[in-house]
Amino acid sequence: MSLTGTVLDHVREHRSGMVVDLAFAVIWVAVVSALFDALPAPTWAYHLSLFAGVVAYFGFFASLESARDAQ
């Protein structure tokens, strides 16, 4: 099997999850960018807030999975 076939199979298998991941990332970056455009802050705080999106992503989806398991 070629690399292209493998990648296409992976995308077909995980399409909805990849769309949710992309949407979360786009929304997080848009909110952080809008917030830091409106408020003066150092560049390191902006970068730290963007990185906090990684923690927020894993925390949000872990709590979502935990809530689904509790039902």
Side-chain angles (χ1 to χ4, degrees), residues 23-38 46 49-50:
F24 185 92
V26 168
I27 291 168
W28 185 268
V29 170
V31 168
V32 169
S33 295
L35 181 65
F36 279 85
D37 283 345
Y46 173 71
S49 297
L50 288 176

Side-chain angles (χ1 to χ4, degrees), residues 15-56:
R15 180 173 298 163
S16 63
M18 293 172 77
V19 170
V20 170
D21 294 348
L22 179 63
F24 185 92
V26 168
I27 291 168
W28 185 268
V29 170
V31 168
V32 169
S33 295
L35 181 65
F36 279 85
D37 283 345
L39 302 171
T43 304
W44 64 265
Y46 173 71
H47 291 152
L48 187 62
S49 297
L50 288 176
F51 177 72
V54 175
V55 176

Side-chain angles (χ1 to χ4, degrees), residues 5-23 57 61:
T6 305
V7 171
L8 290 176
D9 290 340
H10 180 78
V11 170
R12 283 187 196 109
E13 217 174 287
H14 302 286
R15 180 173 298 163
S16 63
M18 293 172 77
V19 170
V20 170
D21 294 348
L22 179 63
Y57 170 84
F61 285 104

